[in-house]
Amino acid sequence: MSEEIQEWPRSTRWIHVGFALVVTFLLFSELDMKAIWKKVGELPFRHLLFHAHMWVGMFATLVILAFWLEIVRIKKLRSHLFPYNGEYLENICTDIKGLADRRLPPSGMRGGLPGMVHGFGLLAVTGMAILGFVMFFLIPNYGVAAPIGIYQIPKKLHDFLSSFVWLYWWGHIAMAALHTIKSPAVLRVFRP
């Protein structure tokens, strides 16, 4: 296993903060929002959540696009998130063996099991963003009228992926907390 751990680039740290904030808002806003065309008996707050979810979702698409541009630009980041060859793949096996011995993988851009899980989370969130982007344009007048019939296809897929994003979100928080207890240096990813 490679012991060289590279620090996160400053631009990636900023994008990570934005990514964490928008995904968290979108997940929690979705819990109690109702579409504005379902007006009967709904509280105005739910309509506000619906609009906020749509517009923050469009902003999230830009944040995710910026993240993908970082991945294309920085080879080490790409190898971290998609560690499917060479030393990065070896790190996955080493990390799994380490977990069996109750050792957490080291932090940083080194690929391995954390990188692979980050990559899966990014793919799930990217799928949700693409589907949300499509849904945005299938709702007439920015959400004040019922969407056209084909809307149900991306909506069902969006809802399906949201389960994976929730699992990823809770797992990510739990593992970050566990790593922070072991080594507070993990929080360097949030340092600008």
Side-chain angles (χ1 to χ4, degrees), residues 110-132:
R110 55 172 286 282
L113 191 59
M116 183 177 74
V117 173
H118 283 130
F120 289 156
L122 177 63
L123 291 173
V125 172
T126 300
M128 283 192 72
I130 291 168
L131 292 165

Side-chain angles (χ1 to χ4, degrees), residues 35-177:
I36 199 164
W37 62 86
K38 299 175 184 177
K39 290 181 183 179
V40 181
E42 292 299 335
L43 299 173
F45 178 70
R46 289 186 174 149
H47 298 306
L48 178 65
L49 277 178
F50 178 76
H51 281 289
H53 186 90
M54 283 194 330
W55 288 103
V56 171
M58 294 303 278
F59 176 71
T61 302
L62 295 175
V63 173
I64 292 164
L65 179 61
F67 208 145
W68 279 103
L69 290 173
E70 281 286 287
I71 292 167
V72 168
R73 188 175 70 82
I74 303 170
K75 184 180 186 315
K76 284 257 188 199
L77 180 59
R78 190 169 52 249
S79 296
H80 170 73
L81 293 170
F82 306 106
Y84 305 118
N85 61 29
E87 68 180 286
Y88 299 101
L89 184 59
E90 291 173 22
N91 287 346
I92 293 173
C93 298
T94 304
D95 292 346
I96 292 170
K97 288 176 193 170
L99 287 174
D101 294 333
R102 303 176 123 195
R103 282 180 315 194
L104 293 173
S107 62
M109 285 196 320
R110 55 172 286 282
L113 191 59
M116 183 177 74
V117 173
H118 283 130
F120 289 156
L122 177 63
L123 291 173
V125 172
T126 300
M128 283 192 72
I130 291 168
L131 292 165
F133 185 82
V134 169
M135 289 163 51
F136 181 85
F137 291 103
L138 294 177
I139 301 172
N141 300 321
Y142 305 107
V144 296
I148 61 176
I150 198 167
Y151 173 84
Q152 290 304 317
I153 295 170
K155 183 186 182 322
K156 296 292 183 200
L157 291 169
H158 188 77
D159 293 346
F160 176 73
L161 281 178
S162 73
S163 300
F164 293 104
V165 175
W166 270 110
L167 285 172
Y168 174 76
W169 189 88
W170 281 110
H172 194 69
I173 297 288
M175 291 310 293

